Amino acid sequence: MLQNFLFPTYHNFALSVMLLFARIAFGAMFLTHGLQKLANFKAMAASFPSIMGLGSTVSLALAIFAEVFCTLGFITGFLYRLSMIPMIFTMAVAALFVHAADPFSAKEMAMLYLFIFIIMYILGPGSFAADYFFAAKV
């Protein structure tokens, strides 16, 4: 069961192509948010929201981890589902806690990414993913 969860098999070429396209498109857009945070780490560290009492610097570092490093795993399909957990968690926190009192327009982007990532998590990476090629060797 764990084998199928981490390394699912796909028999539909068109589905795998579309999943590859979605990983690249959504991953590239999400990556820009993380790279912006990474480039402005010092300036943002003092004003970034502290989540669950972790402090603003740690919260920012965790957001950068999800938005940069985990996104690279998402795009390449390397440890796909494991890398998506921090991405989903980050967007859930952004939508439900950080922007909780804000109007819908302020939390819309976080909610869009959250729903897209949940759907992509369920579907898996497709045949054109690093995990798929590693599964063939396992």
Side-chain angles (χ1 to χ4, degrees):
M1 180 156 179
L2 183 61
Q3 172 76 16
N4 192 41
F5 176 74
L6 292 175
F7 308 112
T9 57
Y10 296 88
H11 303 290
N12 187 327
F13 179 79
L15 173 63
S16 291
V17 169
M18 289 309 299
L19 289 171
L20 173 65
F21 176 75
R23 285 195 342 257
I24 293 170
F26 293 124
M29 288 185 280
F30 195 60
L31 186 62
T32 61
H33 296 282
L35 293 175
Q36 178 189 16
K37 288 178 180 74
L38 184 61
N40 299 309
F41 185 84
K42 287 188 179 189
M44 293 182 74
S47 63
F48 199 78
S50 174
I51 305 301
M52 295 183 281
L54 293 173
S56 58
T57 304
V58 173
S59 296
L60 178 60
L62 290 172
I64 290 171
F65 172 74
E67 294 178 12
V68 175
F69 300 103
C70 292
T71 301
L72 294 174
F74 172 74
I75 292 170
T76 62
F78 179 69
L79 297 175
Y80 179 79
R81 286 193 168 116
L82 293 176
S83 67
M84 289 195 73
I85 293 169
M87 296 166 64
I88 290 169
F89 184 78
T90 300
M91 290 299 96
V93 167
L96 301 174
F97 296 103
V98 175
H99 297 293
D102 296 344
F104 180 76
S105 60
K107 61 179 108 180
E108 182 178 9
M109 186 65 70
M111 291 178 69
L112 272 171
Y113 277 121
L114 175 62
F115 293 134
I116 288 167
F117 292 154
I118 290 171
I119 291 166
M120 294 293 292
Y121 182 89
I122 293 167
L123 289 174
S127 296
F128 303 111
D131 287 349
Y132 184 81
F133 295 108
F134 289 133
K137 298 185 189 268
V138 174

